Amino acid sequence: MNSKPHPASNVLIIDDDPAVGKTLAAILNKSGYLVHWVGNGNDALTYLKNGGMINPLTVALIDIRLPDMNGVDVLREIKSLNSDYGAIMMTGDADLETAVRSLNEGAFAYVLKPYHSDEIKSLIEKVLDKQRLLLENRALIERLKEWNIELEKKVQEKTAELQSKNMTLLGVVEKMKVINEMKSRFVANASHELQTPMTSILGFSTMLLDYWDRIDQKEVTKFLQIIRDEAQRLTRLARDLLDLSRIQDGRVDIAKKKIDLKIIAERVRENLHLLRPQVAIEISFEEAAREIISDQDKIQQILTNLIDNALKFSNDDERVQVSGRLQERSVIIDIIDHGVGIPQDKCEKIFESFYRIHDDIGKNVRGAGLGLPIAKALVEALGGVIQVESELGKGSTFTFILPIEVKQIRTPTGDKE
Amino acid sequence: MKILIGEDEVHIITLLKFTLEIAGYEVRVAQNGLEVIEQVRLDRPDLILLDVKMPEMNGWQVCEKLKSDEKTKSIPIIIVTAFVQKEAQDRSLELGADDFITKPFDSKALLVCVDRVLQRKKARD
């Protein structure tokens, strides 16, 4: 037989006959096996238990008749230590029953003495081949299992990724829905606000045309005035809508220059005083809070909208106070009125487009509900914040804070989500 | 024939009043939702023109209230609103309004609508 032994394969000879043990050991050693010879069953088991043969490619040659134990029992013990160990039984007398028992216990072959060493070597190689196949098979199965686990993990990862993407998409869809709803509501409100003055303009002009001969001069004048007023209201409204949408979309240019807040406030007072001469507007600015670097027109519009709002909700003979002070690198501007005040739960709502507090507090005041949203959007575009504190029946304080030097143009402020 | 106008915009009130009076109707005005309910109780009109966007109580709420009350449900209501969307019309009719007109309205169309609703009411009675 010319089969080459595996370099690291072990052979354990268990035989009390030194003639057998030594000779066989010598022969097998020469063939390249790592051979160990013991004379009885206990020695064999101790040797194995102490880690004598770590290599799974191990073949035990077991004599059936040992001084201390029966070879079949030794076989059973060895198999219980490691079922991978191969075993070949050797015996001097042919006994079919023992042969069958040995094979049942997992022996690979049963050899009758005297034997030829080539026969033994060939059997050993066969056992080793079987063991190698077994090991390879096991390794393959392990790898398959690993692949499976890896695959499963990858599937799970991909699933999780997909799910998270799905969630993100759902979130985006939800957000879009909300934005869409906001836009539709805005358009519905804007259309409503535009239709109202349009109704007057169309109605009164039609009236004048249809009943020209039946309307007296005084009424003609009154109707024409209404038409003019409503046309102006329409113009203001169109301008406000355009402003608001431009600021909210971030399409706003900021003209940076040194400005005087007190002078701007005084100019606004001059413009607004005629609207409500019964309400005094008081202006006081700390010297240090007067000059900032910002956008003059935008601040004028903010002040106009806030002071106009304060005037609307003030009663005759009350006053509106506008004051400015410096705090670190910001100016804080307060617009204080002593009018009707805002219910606590409406303090956020008043900055929403088209919200009109008088629909809730019953005070009928002009305006479409765009002044405060525009003021808020402008303050934010200039890098500031705005808030309101109010007490019903006592009045409101609108406070906006601006940096003393405006940074570059900010991107969309948008409506609140 | 007595018509009650529920409307908070003074110019629209003037316009409606003028149009209806010239056609021979007697006109009453209420400037918010609660006032409409009050006026109906005090001086029962033959027909109500209701704006939707009013302080205190909006036109839809007023319509729902009047139409769910046995004593007032037979008074015809026409909703007059600048909400031009189909949903606004559906909502009005759902709440029991007898008709619906959008602003800006044509004065002749308004009178035709008022007349039609009153004729229908007469036929029912």
Side-chain angles (χ1 to χ4, degrees):
Chain A
M1 289 284 163
N2 50 8
S3 53
K4 273 193 184 157
H6 193 272
S9 28
N10 299 293
V11 177
L12 176 63
I13 303 167
I14 313 167
D15 201 319
D16 55 330
D17 182 354
V20 175
K22 270 192 183 163
T23 333
L24 205 50
I27 293 167
L28 294 173
N29 234 333
K30 226 164 128 191
S31 303
Y33 298 103
L34 300 170
V35 188
H36 188 75
W37 166 51
V38 291
N40 60 57
N42 277 317
D43 284 357
L45 294 172
T46 311
Y47 178 75
L48 287 175
K49 276 177 194 161
N50 289 339
M53 291 186 169
I54 305 164
N55 195 332
L57 295 176
T58 291
V59 184
L61 299 176
I62 311 168
D63 186 21
I64 293 285
R65 216 170 277 165
L66 290 165
D68 53 345
M69 309 168 72
N70 184 301
V72 180
D73 293 335
V74 176
L75 168 68
R76 193 184 304 120
E77 293 280 325
I78 288 174
K79 281 284 180 188
S80 76
L81 282 176
N82 185 343
S83 61
D84 286 351
Y85 288 150
I88 296 166
M89 308 307 287
M90 305 182 294
T91 184
D93 37 49
D95 167 5
L96 189 63
E97 199 198 331
T98 315
V100 170
R101 266 177 63 211
S102 303
L103 295 174
N104 278 344
E105 292 293 346
F108 180 77
Y110 194 83
V111 185
L112 274 176
K113 289 178 185 173
Y115 46 78
H116 195 278
S117 63
D118 278 349
E119 185 190 0
I120 294 287
K121 278 202 289 195
S122 154
L123 279 173
I124 288 172
E125 271 316 301
K126 275 182 185 153
V127 173
L128 289 172
D129 278 347
K130 190 185 154 201
Q131 283 181 335
R132 275 182 211 115
L133 265 176
L134 199 79
L135 290 175
E136 263 168 42
N137 255 340
R138 201 176 290 156
L140 269 174
I141 288 169
E142 274 311 306
R143 266 171 73 193
L144 267 176
K145 272 187 194 158
E146 272 164 32
W147 279 346
N148 234 339
I149 290 167
E150 214 165 297
L151 203 70
E152 226 162 82
K153 221 169 93 192
K154 270 192 184 149
V155 169
Q156 274 172 359
E157 272 169 18
K158 284 279 161 199
T159 311
E161 204 177 302
L162 268 176
Q163 272 171 345
S164 117
K165 272 186 187 158
N166 242 341
M167 294 301 283
T168 316
L169 260 178
L170 278 177
V172 170
V173 168
E174 275 309 306
K175 228 175 187 171
M176 294 291 285
K177 266 192 200 158
V178 172
I179 290 172
N180 246 335
E181 265 164 39
M182 264 166 44
K183 288 234 154 116
S184 320
R185 211 166 41 218
F186 185 89
V187 170
N189 278 321
S191 142
H192 182 274
E193 287 309 311
L194 293 167
Q195 303 287 13
T196 306
M198 204 58 106
T199 307
S200 293
I201 293 168
L202 278 174
F204 284 107
S205 52
T206 309
M207 203 72 73
L208 287 170
L209 287 171
D210 288 358
Y211 302 105
W212 185 253
D213 44 348
R214 288 160 64 183
I215 309 174
D216 63 46
Q217 187 58 43
K218 236 174 83 189
E219 259 177 332
V220 170
T221 312
K222 185 182 154 198
F223 287 2
L224 284 171
Q225 266 167 359
I226 292 175
I227 290 171
R228 190 197 52 201
D229 289 351
E230 293 293 90
Q232 279 170 350
R233 177 174 157 192
L234 208 54
T235 312
R236 252 192 332 265
L237 195 61
R239 193 198 54 211
D240 283 354
L241 283 171
L242 192 65
D243 279 354
L244 189 62
S245 85
R246 283 178 62 157
I247 305 163
Q248 287 187 340
D249 289 351
R251 283 179 291 131
V252 58
D253 296 321
I254 291 174
K256 249 172 99 163
K257 66 172 189 179
K258 195 184 274 183
I259 53 170
D260 187 328
L261 290 172
K262 190 170 177 225
I263 290 174
I264 297 174
E266 280 164 353
R267 192 178 308 147
V268 172
R269 170 168 63 187
E270 219 168 285
N271 294 339
L272 291 178
H273 180 61
L274 285 176
L275 279 175
R276 266 319 276 289
Q278 308 87 340
V279 179
I281 303 169
E282 294 171 3
I283 296 170
S284 67
F285 273 79
E286 275 178 9
E287 270 312 300
R290 284 179 60 168
E291 276 196 353
I292 66 170
I293 295 171
S294 198
D295 186 307
Q296 171 145 349
D297 292 346
K298 292 190 177 55
I299 289 176
Q300 181 163 340
Q301 198 182 346
I302 295 165
L303 281 170
T304 301
N305 290 11
L306 292 177
I307 296 173
D308 186 33
N309 186 69
L311 290 175
K312 277 183 205 166
F313 292 97
S314 291
N315 301 302
D316 286 357
D317 300 324
E318 284 175 356
R319 54 209 175 106
V320 168
Q321 293 150 291
V322 182
S323 64
R325 63 202 144 95
L326 184 74
Q327 195 179 76
E328 285 166 33
R329 299 192 51 78
S330 301
V331 284
I332 303 173
I333 299 152
D334 289 320
I335 291 96
I336 304 170
D337 70 66
H338 306 280
V340 290
I342 305 158
Q344 205 54 48
D345 59 322
K346 300 291 189 289
C347 282
E348 285 283 322
K349 255 185 120 54
I350 56 168
F351 292 109
E352 286 174 16
S353 315
F354 299 111
Y355 176 76
R356 281 186 298 194
I357 193 86
H358 66 253
D359 292 338
D360 281 318
I361 63 171
K363 187 174 162 71
N364 206 345
V365 178
R366 73 204 143 78
L370 291 175
L372 294 179
I374 289 174
K376 181 174 194 270
L378 283 173
V379 167
E380 286 172 359
L382 294 177
V385 288
I386 186 167
Q387 60 171 44
V388 64
E389 271 175 36
S390 189
E391 199 175 330
L392 262 186
K394 296 216 168 149
S396 310
T397 300
F398 284 81
T399 304
F400 67 100
I401 303 172
L402 292 175
I404 54 171
E405 180 169 352
V406 67
K407 296 204 184 68
Q408 73 251 43
I409 300 161
R410 291 212 336 176
T411 34
T413 56
D415 265 7
K416 276 246 251 358
E417 277 167 35
Chain B
M1 283 280 164
K2 232 180 308 180
I3 296 179
L4 174 62
I5 299 170
E7 168 69 68
D8 63 331
E9 288 272 341
V10 279
H11 298 331
I12 311 281
I13 294 171
T14 311
L15 186 64
L16 284 169
K17 202 161 178 278
F18 188 92
T19 309
L20 292 167
E21 278 176 350
I22 235 170
Y25 294 103
E26 198 182 321
V27 177
R28 304 265 189 281
V29 176
Q31 292 207 46
N32 67 53
L34 287 180
E35 223 179 293
V36 172
I37 307 270
E38 187 66 12
Q39 286 256 18
V40 168
R41 208 172 53 82
L42 290 174
D43 185 11
R44 188 185 173 92
D46 296 292
L47 182 137
I48 306 168
L49 291 179
L50 267 186
D51 178 29
V52 170
K53 218 171 169 183
M54 278 191 294
E56 301 293 346
M57 211 178 171
N58 72 39
W60 284 325
Q61 291 168 320
V62 172
C63 179
E64 192 174 20
K65 191 169 164 64
L66 292 175
K67 286 297 183 183
S68 59
D69 187 336
E70 277 304 318
K71 288 191 289 259
T72 52
K73 69 189 275 192
S74 65
I75 305 171
I77 292 177
I78 299 172
I79 298 277
V80 186
T81 179
F83 285 118
V84 292
Q85 292 78 3
K86 180 82 168 61
E87 297 85 36
Q89 183 170 353
D90 292 346
R91 178 99 195 270
S92 305
L93 301 178
E94 257 170 50
L95 293 174
D98 297 79
D99 218 323
F100 180 93
I101 295 177
T102 55
K103 293 175 188 170
F105 49 81
D106 177 73
S107 58
K108 287 194 189 70
L110 173 78
L111 291 173
V112 166
C113 180
V114 166
D115 187 57
R116 187 174 59 223
V117 170
L118 284 172
Q119 290 302 330
R120 238 191 285 152
K121 164 85 164 55
K122 211 167 127 194
R124 257 205 323 266
D125 297 341

